Amino acid sequence: MSAQALLSVNDLRVSFDTRLGEVHAVNGVNFEVRQGEILGVVGESGCGKSATLRAIVGLTQTPGRIDSGEVRFQDRDLLAMPPRELRRTRGRDIGFISQSPFGALNPILSIERQFANIIRAHRKESRKQCRAEALQALASVGIAGPERVLDGYAHELSGGMAQRVVIAMAMIHNPLLLLADEPTTALDVTVQRQILDLITGLIKEDNRSMLLVTHDLSVVAQYCTRVMVMYAGKPVEIGSVREVFKNPKHPYTKALLDAVPKADGEIKGLSGSLPDLINYPVGCPYVSRCKFASDVCLERMPAMTQESGTRAVACHHQLVSSEVA
Ligand SMILES: Nc1ncnc2c1ncn2[C@@H]1O[C@H](COP(=O)(O)OP(=O)(O)OP(=O)(O)O)[C@@H](O)[C@H]1O
Ligand code: SF4
Ligand SMILES: [Mg+2]
């Protein structure tokens, strides 16, 4: 764990028991989130982004299982914490915004009651004070008519409103670290930026940290300091947003960047699909889609190697600038 790291994830592995066999969703994930940074996490659907985040905050549910790993937050291993302590840490020091807002809300408690539960889990406050804080939090994420929302239930909210409520709940204790799994997907584009401005503004204000999962590379470019590219449950490239976007060294990173629609309307798209996560490949998981593949790629899994102080890449034949152009 480096001196600046607030969170350090080491060799995290998560699998899901399914009818067809064990799905190896997270396969040895290593990364750090440093004090004051926003780390973006990208990778196509099914590459283990949500499974990684949920494991970090202790929300892996059956049929999922954490097979191994260590998640150090402020020098303590979250995976080894008693559940009660982990719940306290999760609500207060680590905020979590899950990918599905309705899954995060309790259907049978009023929104006011849910806010009160979150506030009172960490502080002794009167009902009046909890209500005032909740109203303020809802107003800050742009909910019009926060009283009506507070008095209502989750099923009365639209997808976008539910997402804002979940964001307001996650931010209420001003956490040191915010884990946000596609926090604005249910919102329309203009509102997405508004909410991201708001969340990242709060994070930056106090030199706090954030891990932001998104499919939108322009969001990474605009808000993140560093980026981690995941493929088949593993990070394949990590580095500063500027250097990774300018000069990608992993063929998958390059394919993802090429797949962003261009101003002239050209769309390259990603060809092929993820490997079978039940019979996980022994070599490089990207081999079936990679035009640079050789025999060694079939035989040996490339290890993540540190290129410089900031960049790490897992590829036997990293791209050089001439191949990138
Ligand atoms: N409850 C579950 N049961 C079985 N398999 C699961 C379960 N949850 C996730 N998986 C599998 O784990 C793998 C990783 O899923 P995960 O949700 O982490 O992907 P993701 O990167 O977040 O994708 P997306 O971008 O679509 O949200 C996938 O192959 C998925 O099918
Ligand atoms: S290790 Fe081989 S197959 Fe994998 S990305 Fe690199 S060149 Fe392609
Ligand atoms: Mg996901």
Side-chain angles (χ1 to χ4, degrees), residues 194-259:
Q194 221 178 316
I195 297 281
L196 282 171
D197 281 348
L198 178 101
I199 305 176
T200 56
L202 291 171
I203 294 291
K204 284 183 192 155
E205 212 171 80
D206 292 331
N207 202 31
R208 290 166 193 270
S209 311
M210 178 172 176
L211 195 153
L212 173 63
V213 172
T214 176
H215 278 113
D216 188 341
L217 296 185
S218 70
V219 163
V220 175
Q222 186 175 345
Y223 296 100
C224 300
T225 332
R226 290 192 306 136
V227 60
M228 172 164 83
V229 181
M230 284 186 70
Y231 188 77
K234 294 170 80 70
V236 293
E237 182 156 10
I238 303 180
S240 78
V241 171
R242 205 162 53 88
E243 61 184 3
V244 171
F245 280 20
K246 190 167 168 231
N247 178 20
K249 295 196 169 188
H250 194 284
Y252 180 62
T253 311
K254 167 128 173 64
L256 269 187
L257 288 166
D258 286 346

Coordinates of all heavy atoms in Angstrom, one line a residue, residues 194-259:
Q194 N -24.7 17.6 -14.7 CA -25.1 18.4 -13.6 C -24.8 17.6 -12.3 O -24.2 18.1 -11.4 CB -26.6 18.7 -13.6 CG -27.0 20.1 -13.3 CD -28.5 20.1 -13.5 OE1 -29.1 19.6 -14.5 NE2 -29.2 20.7 -12.5
I195 N -25.3 16.4 -12.2 CA -25.1 15.6 -11.0 C -23.6 15.2 -10.8 O -23.1 15.2 -9.7 CB -26.0 14.3 -11.1 CG1 -27.5 14.7 -11.2 CG2 -25.7 13.4 -10.0 CD1 -28.1 15.1 -9.9
L196 N -23.0 14.9 -11.9 CA -21.5 14.5 -11.8 C -20.7 15.7 -11.3 O -19.8 15.6 -10.5 CB -21.0 14.0 -13.1 CG -21.4 12.5 -13.4 CD1 -21.0 12.2 -14.9 CD2 -20.7 11.6 -12.4
D197 N -21.1 16.9 -11.9 CA -20.4 18.1 -11.4 C -20.6 18.3 -9.9 O -19.6 18.6 -9.2 CB -21.0 19.4 -12.0 CG -20.5 19.6 -13.5 OD1 -19.6 18.9 -13.9 OD2 -21.2 20.4 -14.2
L198 N -21.8 18.0 -9.4 CA -22.1 18.2 -8.0 C -21.3 17.2 -7.2 O -20.6 17.5 -6.2 CB -23.6 17.9 -7.8 CG -24.1 18.0 -6.4 CD1 -24.7 19.4 -6.2 CD2 -25.0 16.9 -6.1
I199 N -21.4 15.9 -7.6 CA -20.7 14.9 -6.7 C -19.2 15.1 -6.7 O -18.6 15.1 -5.7 CB -20.9 13.4 -7.3 CG1 -22.4 13.1 -7.4 CG2 -20.3 12.4 -6.4 CD1 -22.7 11.8 -8.0
T200 N -18.6 15.3 -7.9 CA -17.2 15.4 -8.0 C -16.7 16.7 -7.3 O -15.6 16.8 -6.7 CB -16.6 15.4 -9.4 OG1 -17.3 16.4 -10.2 CG2 -16.9 14.0 -10.1
G201 N -17.6 17.8 -7.4 CA -17.3 19.0 -6.7 C -17.2 18.8 -5.2 O -16.2 19.3 -4.5
L202 N -18.1 18.0 -4.6 CA -18.1 17.8 -3.2 C -16.8 17.0 -2.8 O -16.2 17.2 -1.8 CB -19.3 16.9 -2.8 CG -20.7 17.7 -2.8 CD1 -21.8 16.7 -2.6 CD2 -20.7 18.8 -1.8
I203 N -16.5 16.0 -3.7 CA -15.3 15.2 -3.4 C -14.0 16.0 -3.4 O -13.2 15.9 -2.5 CB -15.2 14.0 -4.5 CG1 -16.4 13.1 -4.3 CG2 -13.9 13.3 -4.4 CD1 -16.4 12.2 -3.1
K204 N -13.9 16.9 -4.5 CA -12.7 17.6 -4.6 C -12.6 18.7 -3.5 O -11.4 19.0 -3.1 CB -12.7 18.3 -6.0 CG -12.3 17.3 -7.1 CD -12.3 18.1 -8.4 CE -12.2 17.2 -9.6 NZ -12.8 17.8 -10.8
E205 N -13.7 19.2 -3.1 CA -13.7 20.3 -2.1 C -12.8 20.0 -0.9 O -12.1 20.8 -0.4 CB -15.1 20.6 -1.7 CG -15.5 22.0 -1.3 CD -17.0 22.1 -1.1 OE1 -17.5 21.7 -0.1 OE2 -17.7 22.5 -2.1
D206 N -13.0 18.7 -0.4 CA -12.3 18.3 0.8 C -11.2 17.4 0.6 O -10.8 16.6 1.5 CB -13.4 17.7 1.8 CG -14.4 18.6 2.3 OD1 -14.0 19.8 2.4 OD2 -15.5 18.2 2.6
N207 N -10.7 17.3 -0.6 CA -9.6 16.4 -1.0 C -10.0 14.9 -0.7 O -9.2 14.2 -0.1 CB -8.3 16.8 -0.2 CG -7.1 16.2 -0.8 OD1 -7.0 16.1 -2.1 ND2 -6.1 15.9 0.0
R208 N -11.2 14.6 -0.9 CA -11.7 13.2 -0.7 C -11.4 12.4 -2.0 O -10.9 13.0 -3.0 CB -13.2 13.2 -0.4 CG -13.4 13.8 1.0 CD -14.8 14.2 1.4 NE -14.7 15.0 2.6 CZ -14.8 14.5 3.8 NH1 -15.0 13.2 4.0 NH2 -14.7 15.3 4.9
S209 N -11.9 11.1 -2.0 CA -11.5 10.3 -3.1 C -12.8 9.6 -3.6 O -13.7 9.4 -2.9 CB -10.5 9.2 -2.6 OG -9.5 9.7 -1.9
M210 N -12.7 9.2 -4.9 CA -13.8 8.6 -5.5 C -13.4 7.5 -6.5 O -12.4 7.7 -7.2 CB -14.6 9.7 -6.2 CG -15.8 9.2 -6.9 SD -16.8 10.7 -7.5 CE -18.1 9.9 -8.4
L211 N -14.2 6.5 -6.6 CA -14.0 5.5 -7.7 C -15.3 5.5 -8.5 O -16.4 5.4 -8.0 CB -13.8 4.1 -7.0 CG -13.3 3.0 -7.9 CD1 -12.5 2.0 -7.0 CD2 -14.4 2.3 -8.6
L212 N -15.1 5.8 -9.8 CA -16.3 6.1 -10.6 C -16.3 5.1 -11.8 O -15.5 5.1 -12.7 CB -16.2 7.5 -11.1 CG -17.2 7.9 -12.2 CD1 -18.6 7.9 -11.6 CD2 -16.9 9.4 -12.7
V213 N -17.3 4.2 -11.7 CA -17.5 3.2 -12.8 C -18.4 3.9 -13.9 O -19.4 4.5 -13.5 CB -18.2 2.0 -12.3 CG1 -18.6 1.1 -13.5 CG2 -17.3 1.2 -11.4
T214 N -18.0 3.9 -15.1 CA -18.8 4.5 -16.2 C -18.5 3.8 -17.5 O -17.4 3.2 -17.7 CB -18.5 6.0 -16.3 OG1 -19.3 6.5 -17.4 CG2 -17.1 6.3 -16.5
H215 N -19.5 3.8 -18.4 CA -19.2 3.4 -19.8 C -18.8 4.5 -20.7 O -18.4 4.3 -21.8 CB -20.5 2.8 -20.4 CG -20.7 1.3 -19.9 ND1 -21.7 1.0 -19.1 CD2 -20.0 0.2 -20.2 CE1 -21.7 -0.3 -18.9 NE2 -20.6 -0.8 -19.5
D216 N -18.9 5.7 -20.1 CA -18.7 6.9 -21.0 C -17.3 7.4 -20.8 O -16.9 8.0 -19.8 CB -19.7 7.9 -20.5 CG -19.8 9.1 -21.4 OD1 -18.8 9.4 -22.1 OD2 -20.8 9.9 -21.4
L217 N -16.4 7.2 -21.8 CA -15.0 7.7 -21.7 C -14.9 9.2 -21.6 O -13.9 9.7 -21.1 CB -14.2 7.1 -22.9 CG -14.1 5.6 -23.0 CD1 -13.2 5.2 -24.1 CD2 -13.6 5.0 -21.7
S218 N -15.9 9.9 -22.2 CA -15.8 11.4 -22.0 C -16.0 11.8 -20.6 O -15.5 12.8 -20.2 CB -16.8 12.1 -23.0 OG -18.1 11.8 -22.5
V219 N -16.8 11.0 -19.8 CA -16.9 11.3 -18.4 C -15.6 11.1 -17.7 O -15.2 11.9 -16.9 CB -18.0 10.4 -17.8 CG1 -18.0 10.3 -16.3 CG2 -19.4 10.9 -18.2
V220 N -14.9 10.0 -18.1 CA -13.6 9.8 -17.5 C -12.6 10.9 -17.8 O -11.9 11.5 -17.0 CB -13.0 8.4 -18.0 CG1 -11.5 8.3 -17.5 CG2 -13.8 7.3 -17.6
A221 N -12.7 11.4 -19.1 CA -11.8 12.4 -19.5 C -12.1 13.7 -18.7 O -11.2 14.4 -18.4 CB -11.9 12.7 -21.0
Q222 N -13.3 14.0 -18.5 CA -13.7 15.2 -17.8 C -13.5 15.2 -16.3 O -13.1 16.2 -15.8 CB -15.2 15.5 -18.1 CG -15.6 16.9 -17.6 CD -17.0 17.2 -18.0 OE1 -17.6 16.6 -18.9 NE2 -17.6 18.2 -17.4
Y223 N -13.7 14.1 -15.7 CA -13.8 14.1 -14.2 C -12.6 13.3 -13.5 O -12.4 13.6 -12.3 CB -15.1 13.5 -13.7 CG -16.3 14.3 -14.1 CD1 -17.1 14.0 -15.2 CD2 -16.6 15.5 -13.4 CE1 -18.2 14.7 -15.6 CE2 -17.7 16.3 -13.8 CZ -18.5 15.9 -14.9 OH -19.6 16.6 -15.3
C224 N -12.0 12.4 -14.2 CA -11.1 11.5 -13.5 C -9.7 11.9 -13.6 O -9.2 12.5 -14.5 CB -11.3 10.0 -14.0 SG -13.0 9.4 -13.7
T225 N -8.9 11.5 -12.5 CA -7.5 11.7 -12.5 C -6.8 10.6 -13.2 O -5.9 10.7 -14.0 CB -7.0 11.8 -11.0 OG1 -8.1 12.2 -10.2 CG2 -5.8 12.7 -10.8
R226 N -7.1 9.3 -12.7 CA -6.5 8.1 -13.3 C -7.6 7.2 -13.8 O -8.8 7.4 -13.5 CB -5.7 7.4 -12.3 CG -4.4 8.1 -11.9 CD -3.5 7.2 -11.1 NE -4.1 6.7 -9.9 CZ -4.1 5.4 -9.5 NH1 -3.3 4.5 -10.2 NH2 -4.7 5.0 -8.5
V227 N -7.3 6.3 -14.6 CA -8.3 5.3 -15.1 C -7.7 3.9 -15.0 O -6.6 3.6 -15.2 CB -8.6 5.7 -16.6 CG1 -7.5 5.7 -17.5 CG2 -9.8 4.9 -17.1
M228 N -8.7 3.0 -14.7 CA -8.3 1.6 -14.7 C -9.2 0.9 -15.8 O -10.5 1.0 -15.7 CB -8.6 0.9 -13.4 CG -8.5 -0.6 -13.4 SD -8.4 -1.2 -11.7 CE -10.1 -1.3 -11.2
V229 N -8.6 0.2 -16.7 CA -9.4 -0.5 -17.8 C -9.4 -1.9 -17.4 O -8.4 -2.6 -17.1 CB -8.7 -0.4 -19.1 CG1 -9.5 -1.1 -20.2 CG2 -8.4 1.1 -19.5
M230 N -10.7 -2.5 -17.3 CA -10.8 -3.9 -16.9 C -11.3 -4.7 -18.1 O -12.0 -4.3 -19.0 CB -11.9 -4.0 -15.8 CG -11.4 -3.6 -14.4 SD -12.6 -3.9 -13.1 CE -12.5 -5.7 -13.0
Y231 N -10.8 -6.0 -18.1 CA -11.2 -6.9 -19.1 C -11.4 -8.3 -18.5 O -10.4 -8.8 -17.8 CB -10.2 -7.0 -20.3 CG -10.8 -7.8 -21.4 CD1 -11.8 -7.3 -22.3 CD2 -10.4 -9.1 -21.6 CE1 -12.3 -8.0 -23.3 CE2 -10.9 -9.9 -22.6 CZ -11.9 -9.3 -23.5 OH -12.4 -10.1 -24.5
A232 N -12.5 -9.0 -18.6 CA -12.7 -10.3 -18.1 C -12.3 -10.4 -16.6 O -11.6 -11.4 -16.2 CB -12.0 -11.3 -19.0
G233 N -12.7 -9.5 -15.8 CA -12.4 -9.6 -14.4 C -11.0 -9.2 -13.9 O -10.6 -9.5 -12.8
K234 N -10.2 -8.6 -14.8 CA -8.9 -8.2 -14.5 C -8.6 -6.8 -15.0 O -9.0 -6.4 -16.1 CB -7.9 -9.1 -15.1 CG -7.9 -10.5 -14.7 CD -7.0 -11.4 -15.6 CE -5.6 -11.3 -15.2 NZ -5.2 -11.9 -13.9
P235 N -7.8 -6.0 -14.2 CA -7.3 -4.8 -14.8 C -6.3 -5.1 -15.9 O -5.4 -6.0 -15.7 CB -6.6 -4.1 -13.6 CG -6.9 -4.8 -12.4 CD -7.3 -6.2 -12.8
V236 N -6.4 -4.4 -17.0 CA -5.4 -4.6 -18.0 C -4.5 -3.4 -18.3 O -3.4 -3.5 -18.8 CB -6.0 -5.1 -19.4 CG1 -6.6 -6.4 -19.3 CG2 -7.0 -4.1 -19.9
E237 N -5.0 -2.2 -17.8 CA -4.1 -1.0 -17.9 C -4.6 0.0 -16.9 O -5.8 0.2 -16.7 CB -4.2 -0.4 -19.4 CG -3.3 0.8 -19.5 CD -3.0 1.0 -21.0 OE1 -3.5 0.4 -21.9 OE2 -2.1 1.9 -21.2
I238 N -3.6 0.6 -16.2 CA -3.9 1.6 -15.2 C -3.0 2.8 -15.4 O -1.8 2.5 -15.7 CB -3.8 1.1 -13.8 CG1 -4.7 -0.1 -13.5 CG2 -4.1 2.2 -12.8 CD1 -4.6 -0.7 -12.1
G239 N -3.4 4.0 -15.4 CA -2.5 5.1 -15.5 C -3.3 6.4 -15.5 O -4.5 6.4 -15.3
S240 N -2.6 7.5 -15.6 CA -3.2 8.8 -15.6 C -4.1 8.9 -16.9 O -3.8 8.3 -17.9 CB -2.2 9.9 -15.6 OG -1.7 10.1 -16.9
V241 N -5.2 9.6 -16.7 CA -6.2 9.6 -17.9 C -5.5 10.2 -19.1 O -5.6 9.7 -20.2 CB -7.4 10.5 -17.5 CG1 -8.3 10.7 -18.7 CG2 -8.2 9.8 -16.4
R242 N -4.7 11.2 -18.9 CA -4.0 11.9 -20.0 C -3.1 10.9 -20.8 O -3.2 10.7 -22.0 CB -3.2 13.1 -19.5 CG -3.0 14.1 -20.5 CD -2.6 15.4 -19.9 NE -1.5 15.2 -19.0 CZ -0.2 15.3 -19.4 NH1 0.1 15.6 -20.6 NH2 0.8 15.1 -18.5
E243 N -2.3 10.2 -20.0 CA -1.3 9.3 -20.8 C -2.0 8.1 -21.4 O -1.7 7.6 -22.5 CB -0.1 8.9 -19.9 CG -0.4 8.2 -18.6 CD 0.8 7.9 -17.8 OE1 2.0 8.4 -18.1 OE2 0.7 7.3 -16.7
V244 N -3.0 7.5 -20.6 CA -3.7 6.3 -21.2 C -4.5 6.7 -22.4 O -4.5 6.0 -23.4 CB -4.6 5.7 -20.1 CG1 -5.4 4.6 -20.7 CG2 -3.7 5.1 -19.0
F245 N -5.2 7.8 -22.4 CA -6.0 8.2 -23.6 C -5.1 8.6 -24.7 O -5.5 8.4 -25.9 CB -7.0 9.3 -23.2 CG -8.2 8.8 -22.4 CD1 -8.2 7.5 -21.8 CD2 -9.4 9.5 -22.4 CE1 -9.3 7.1 -21.1 CE2 -10.5 9.1 -21.7 CZ -10.5 7.8 -21.1
K246 N -4.0 9.2 -24.4 CA -3.2 9.7 -25.5 C -2.4 8.6 -26.1 O -2.2 8.5 -27.3 CB -2.2 10.8 -24.9 CG -1.4 11.5 -26.0 CD -0.8 12.7 -25.4 CE 0.2 13.3 -26.4 NZ 1.5 13.5 -25.9
N247 N -1.9 7.7 -25.3 CA -1.0 6.6 -25.7 C -1.3 5.3 -25.1 O -0.6 4.8 -24.2 CB 0.4 7.1 -25.4 CG 1.5 6.1 -25.8 OD1 1.2 5.2 -26.6 ND2 2.6 6.2 -25.1
P248 N -2.5 4.7 -25.5 CA -2.9 3.4 -24.8 C -1.8 2.3 -25.2 O -1.3 2.2 -26.3 CB -4.2 3.1 -25.5 CG -4.2 3.8 -26.8 CD -3.4 5.1 -26.6
K249 N -1.5 1.5 -24.2 CA -0.5 0.5 -24.4 C -1.1 -0.9 -24.5 O -0.4 -1.8 -24.9 CB 0.6 0.5 -23.3 CG 1.3 1.8 -23.3 CD 2.6 1.8 -22.6 CE 3.4 3.0 -22.9 NZ 4.8 2.9 -22.3
H250 N -2.3 -1.1 -24.0 CA -3.0 -2.4 -24.1 C -3.9 -2.4 -25.3 O -4.7 -1.4 -25.5 CB -3.7 -2.7 -22.8 CG -4.1 -4.1 -22.7 ND1 -5.2 -4.7 -23.5 CD2 -3.6 -5.1 -22.0 CE1 -5.3 -6.0 -23.2 NE2 -4.3 -6.3 -22.3
P251 N -3.9 -3.4 -26.1 CA -4.7 -3.5 -27.3 C -6.2 -3.3 -27.0 O -7.0 -2.7 -27.8 CB -4.5 -4.8 -27.9 CG -3.1 -5.2 -27.5 CD -2.9 -4.6 -26.1
Y252 N -6.6 -3.8 -25.8 CA -8.1 -3.6 -25.5 C -8.4 -2.1 -25.2 O -9.4 -1.6 -25.6 CB -8.4 -4.5 -24.3 CG -9.9 -4.3 -23.9 CD1 -10.9 -4.7 -24.7 CD2 -10.2 -3.8 -22.6 CE1 -12.2 -4.5 -24.4 CE2 -11.5 -3.7 -22.2 CZ -12.5 -4.0 -23.1 OH -13.9 -3.8 -22.8
T253 N -7.5 -1.4 -24.5 CA -7.7 0.0 -24.2 C -7.8 0.7 -25.5 O -8.7 1.6 -25.7 CB -6.5 0.6 -23.4 OG1 -6.2 -0.2 -22.3 CG2 -6.8 2.0 -23.0
K254 N -7.0 0.4 -26.5 CA -7.0 1.0 -27.8 C -8.3 0.8 -28.5 O -9.0 1.7 -29.1 CB -5.8 0.6 -28.6 CG -5.9 0.9 -30.1 CD -4.7 1.6 -30.6 CE -4.7 1.8 -32.1 NZ -5.8 2.7 -32.5
A255 N -8.8 -0.5 -28.4 CA -10.1 -0.8 -29.1 C -11.2 -0.1 -28.4 O -12.1 0.4 -29.1 CB -10.3 -2.3 -28.9
L256 N -11.2 0.1 -27.1 CA -12.3 0.8 -26.4 C -12.3 2.3 -26.9 O -13.3 2.9 -27.1 CB -12.0 0.8 -24.9 CG -12.6 -0.2 -24.0 CD1 -12.3 0.1 -22.6 CD2 -14.1 -0.4 -24.2
L257 N -11.1 2.9 -26.9 CA -11.0 4.3 -27.4 C -11.4 4.4 -28.8 O -12.1 5.4 -29.2 CB -9.5 4.8 -27.2 CG -9.1 5.0 -25.7 CD1 -7.6 5.1 -25.6 CD2 -9.7 6.2 -25.1
D258 N -11.0 3.5 -29.7 CA -11.4 3.5 -31.1 C -12.9 3.4 -31.2 O -13.5 3.8 -32.2 CB -10.8 2.4 -31.9 CG -9.3 2.7 -32.1 OD1 -8.9 3.9 -31.9 OD2 -8.5 1.8 -32.5
A259 N -13.6 2.7 -30.2 CA -15.0 2.5 -30.4 C -15.9 3.7 -30.0 O -17.1 3.7 -30.2 CB -15.4 1.3 -29.4

